[in-house]
Amino acid sequence: MSLFQSLTETQTLFALICYCLSILIALPLFETIHEKIEQGSMQYIWNKIGMPIVRALLLMLFILLAYPVSFGLERAPALSELMNVESERMNIMFNLLFLITFIYPIVPIIGKADALMIPLQGMIALIILFYWLAEKVALKEYSLLPDPGTGSIIIVLCALTYFFAKHISIFLGQWLDNTFHREGYQVLVFHAVIMIMQTPVIYLYGHALGKQLNIMP
């Protein structure tokens, strides 16, 4: 399955729709809770723990719904087969994505590159799924690093998609704020648009991993 086919698959579109709808439901709710918290320390804790939890859950939802199309595979062992091996596997994925969301912003130099946040989380989630999938199909030799060409494309696409998503969200957010006479739509739009625009980045890495499964007899 080509990258274009993966991105236009019904499963991918369904995963993106679910992700965007979840944002429209979850983030306004969390912003309302944030506004009702009066103590500054509690607001800080809510922003640093509550919001990372939401972002980790939403991204995990997208990655799981997109399996195995995100690897460029038409058929693969069912997700339930991968998860049922150990009861804690779902928790493992969530905990890792949460830690990345929580720790990444404080990493020197790299932590300031917001464009890398979602692709990095998506790639980590794909690595976890790929590890379980490789174990299921008895693939023992594989690489988690894309080739230099693919790696370069991923970095460039991260920057470009972030740039366009940021400017699109500003325009649409202002229009929605003016239309519905409230503030905050820019944040919602950005979270939705950035995932839509950076899905090719995540899938590009997923295809690099998936190709190693396609060569199996």
Side-chain angles (χ1 to χ4, degrees), residues 147-162:
D147 60 85
T150 302
S152 300
I153 294 173
I154 287 175
I155 293 174
V156 172
L157 282 179
C158 282
L160 289 177
T161 52
Y162 180 84

PDB file of all heavy atoms in Angstrom, residues 147-162:
ATOM      1  N   ASP A 147      15.794   5.264   6.758  1.00  0.00           N
ATOM      2  CA  ASP A 147      16.992   5.573   5.986  1.00  0.00           C
ATOM      3  C   ASP A 147      17.205   7.092   5.972  1.00  0.00           C
ATOM      4  O   ASP A 147      16.266   7.854   6.236  1.00  0.00           O
ATOM      5  CB  ASP A 147      16.865   5.043   4.555  1.00  0.00           C
ATOM      6  CG  ASP A 147      15.687   5.660   3.817  1.00  0.00           C
ATOM      7  OD1 ASP A 147      15.858   6.755   3.249  1.00  0.00           O
ATOM      8  OD2 ASP A 147      14.601   5.057   3.817  1.00  0.00           O
ATOM      9  N   PRO A 148      18.427   7.557   5.705  1.00  0.00           N
ATOM     10  CA  PRO A 148      18.718   9.000   5.766  1.00  0.00           C
ATOM     11  C   PRO A 148      17.786   9.853   4.916  1.00  0.00           C
ATOM     12  O   PRO A 148      17.394  10.950   5.330  1.00  0.00           O
ATOM     13  CB  PRO A 148      20.163   9.086   5.259  1.00  0.00           C
ATOM     14  CG  PRO A 148      20.750   7.751   5.590  1.00  0.00           C
ATOM     15  CD  PRO A 148      19.641   6.772   5.409  1.00  0.00           C
ATOM     16  N   GLY A 149      17.415   9.362   3.738  1.00  0.00           N
ATOM     17  CA  GLY A 149      16.509  10.124   2.865  1.00  0.00           C
ATOM     18  C   GLY A 149      15.149  10.315   3.500  1.00  0.00           C
ATOM     19  O   GLY A 149      14.599  11.431   3.522  1.00  0.00           O
ATOM     20  N   THR A 150      14.589   9.218   4.011  1.00  0.00           N
ATOM     21  CA  THR A 150      13.283   9.294   4.673  1.00  0.00           C
ATOM     22  C   THR A 150      13.353  10.160   5.918  1.00  0.00           C
ATOM     23  O   THR A 150      12.449  10.960   6.185  1.00  0.00           O
ATOM     24  CB  THR A 150      12.792   7.884   5.057  1.00  0.00           C
ATOM     25  OG1 THR A 150      12.707   7.069   3.880  1.00  0.00           O
ATOM     26  CG2 THR A 150      11.424   7.947   5.721  1.00  0.00           C
ATOM     27  N   GLY A 151      14.441  10.031   6.686  1.00  0.00           N
ATOM     28  CA  GLY A 151      14.611  10.841   7.883  1.00  0.00           C
ATOM     29  C   GLY A 151      14.650  12.330   7.571  1.00  0.00           C
ATOM     30  O   GLY A 151      14.053  13.142   8.286  1.00  0.00           O
ATOM     31  N   SER A 152      15.338  12.679   6.489  1.00  0.00           N
ATOM     32  CA  SER A 152      15.418  14.087   6.081  1.00  0.00           C
ATOM     33  C   SER A 152      14.054  14.626   5.674  1.00  0.00           C
ATOM     34  O   SER A 152      13.673  15.750   6.033  1.00  0.00           O
ATOM     35  CB  SER A 152      16.407  14.239   4.928  1.00  0.00           C
ATOM     36  OG  SER A 152      17.707  13.821   5.302  1.00  0.00           O
ATOM     37  N   ILE A 153      13.302  13.818   4.925  1.00  0.00           N
ATOM     38  CA  ILE A 153      11.962  14.225   4.493  1.00  0.00           C
ATOM     39  C   ILE A 153      11.059  14.432   5.710  1.00  0.00           C
ATOM     40  O   ILE A 153      10.272  15.380   5.759  1.00  0.00           O
ATOM     41  CB  ILE A 153      11.350  13.172   3.546  1.00  0.00           C
ATOM     42  CG1 ILE A 153      12.144  13.118   2.235  1.00  0.00           C
ATOM     43  CG2 ILE A 153       9.883  13.495   3.252  1.00  0.00           C
ATOM     44  CD1 ILE A 153      11.721  12.004   1.311  1.00  0.00           C
ATOM     45  N   ILE A 154      11.165  13.550   6.690  1.00  0.00           N
ATOM     46  CA  ILE A 154      10.351  13.653   7.901  1.00  0.00           C
ATOM     47  C   ILE A 154      10.623  14.969   8.625  1.00  0.00           C
ATOM     48  O   ILE A 154       9.690  15.675   9.035  1.00  0.00           O
ATOM     49  CB  ILE A 154      10.629  12.452   8.833  1.00  0.00           C
ATOM     50  CG1 ILE A 154       9.990  11.180   8.263  1.00  0.00           C
ATOM     51  CG2 ILE A 154      10.093  12.726  10.244  1.00  0.00           C
ATOM     52  CD1 ILE A 154      10.325   9.924   9.051  1.00  0.00           C
ATOM     53  N   ILE A 155      11.893  15.335   8.761  1.00  0.00           N
ATOM     54  CA  ILE A 155      12.250  16.571   9.457  1.00  0.00           C
ATOM     55  C   ILE A 155      11.727  17.794   8.708  1.00  0.00           C
ATOM     56  O   ILE A 155      11.161  18.726   9.309  1.00  0.00           O
ATOM     57  CB  ILE A 155      13.782  16.668   9.624  1.00  0.00           C
ATOM     58  CG1 ILE A 155      14.270  15.571  10.581  1.00  0.00           C
ATOM     59  CG2 ILE A 155      14.183  18.046  10.153  1.00  0.00           C
ATOM     60  CD1 ILE A 155      15.767  15.484  10.704  1.00  0.00           C
ATOM     61  N   VAL A 156      11.893  17.806   7.389  1.00  0.00           N
ATOM     62  CA  VAL A 156      11.425  18.934   6.576  1.00  0.00           C
ATOM     63  C   VAL A 156       9.902  19.040   6.641  1.00  0.00           C
ATOM     64  O   VAL A 156       9.340  20.143   6.818  1.00  0.00           O
ATOM     65  CB  VAL A 156      11.885  18.782   5.116  1.00  0.00           C
ATOM     66  CG1 VAL A 156      11.227  19.848   4.234  1.00  0.00           C
ATOM     67  CG2 VAL A 156      13.397  18.893   5.029  1.00  0.00           C
ATOM     68  N   LEU A 157       9.209  17.908   6.533  1.00  0.00           N
ATOM     69  CA  LEU A 157       7.749  17.918   6.581  1.00  0.00           C
ATOM     70  C   LEU A 157       7.240  18.366   7.949  1.00  0.00           C
ATOM     71  O   LEU A 157       6.214  19.041   8.035  1.00  0.00           O
ATOM     72  CB  LEU A 157       7.195  16.524   6.249  1.00  0.00           C
ATOM     73  CG  LEU A 157       7.174  16.122   4.775  1.00  0.00           C
ATOM     74  CD1 LEU A 157       6.625  14.709   4.622  1.00  0.00           C
ATOM     75  CD2 LEU A 157       6.328  17.099   3.961  1.00  0.00           C
ATOM     76  N   CYS A 158       7.951  17.988   9.008  1.00  0.00           N
ATOM     77  CA  CYS A 158       7.563  18.427  10.350  1.00  0.00           C
ATOM     78  C   CYS A 158       7.519  19.949  10.413  1.00  0.00           C
ATOM     79  O   CYS A 158       6.559  20.546  10.921  1.00  0.00           O
ATOM     80  CB  CYS A 158       8.553  17.901  11.380  1.00  0.00           C
ATOM     81  SG  CYS A 158       8.342  16.173  11.829  1.00  0.00           S
ATOM     82  N   ALA A 159       8.574  20.577   9.913  1.00  0.00           N
ATOM     83  CA  ALA A 159       8.671  22.037   9.964  1.00  0.00           C
ATOM     84  C   ALA A 159       7.617  22.692   9.077  1.00  0.00           C
ATOM     85  O   ALA A 159       6.939  23.646   9.493  1.00  0.00           O
ATOM     86  CB  ALA A 159      10.066  22.473   9.544  1.00  0.00           C
ATOM     87  N   LEU A 160       7.455  22.193   7.855  1.00  0.00           N
ATOM     88  CA  LEU A 160       6.509  22.798   6.912  1.00  0.00           C
ATOM     89  C   LEU A 160       5.073  22.650   7.379  1.00  0.00           C
ATOM     90  O   LEU A 160       4.298  23.622   7.350  1.00  0.00           O
ATOM     91  CB  LEU A 160       6.673  22.164   5.530  1.00  0.00           C
ATOM     92  CG  LEU A 160       7.949  22.520   4.764  1.00  0.00           C
ATOM     93  CD1 LEU A 160       8.012  21.754   3.441  1.00  0.00           C
ATOM     94  CD2 LEU A 160       8.023  24.017   4.491  1.00  0.00           C
ATOM     95  N   THR A 161       4.691  21.454   7.811  1.00  0.00           N
ATOM     96  CA  THR A 161       3.309  21.231   8.239  1.00  0.00           C
ATOM     97  C   THR A 161       2.986  22.029   9.494  1.00  0.00           C
ATOM     98  O   THR A 161       1.872  22.538   9.647  1.00  0.00           O
ATOM     99  CB  THR A 161       3.052  19.736   8.496  1.00  0.00           C
ATOM    100  OG1 THR A 161       4.055  19.220   9.385  1.00  0.00           O
ATOM    101  CG2 THR A 161       3.082  18.948   7.202  1.00  0.00           C
ATOM    102  N   TYR A 162       3.958  22.159  10.388  1.00  0.00           N
ATOM    103  CA  TYR A 162       3.745  22.965  11.590  1.00  0.00           C
ATOM    104  C   TYR A 162       3.529  24.430  11.216  1.00  0.00           C
ATOM    105  O   TYR A 162       2.637  25.098  11.756  1.00  0.00           O
ATOM    106  CB  TYR A 162       4.945  22.841  12.525  1.00  0.00           C
ATOM    107  CG  TYR A 162       4.802  23.658  13.793  1.00  0.00           C
ATOM    108  CD1 TYR A 162       4.110  23.158  14.888  1.00  0.00           C
ATOM    109  CD2 TYR A 162       5.361  24.933  13.883  1.00  0.00           C
ATOM    110  CE1 TYR A 162       3.978  23.910  16.054  1.00  0.00           C
ATOM    111  CE2 TYR A 162       5.233  25.690  15.038  1.00  0.00           C
ATOM    112  CZ  TYR A 162       4.542  25.170  16.116  1.00  0.00           C
ATOM    113  OH  TYR A 162       4.409  25.924  17.256  1.00  0.00           O
TER     114      TYR A 162
END
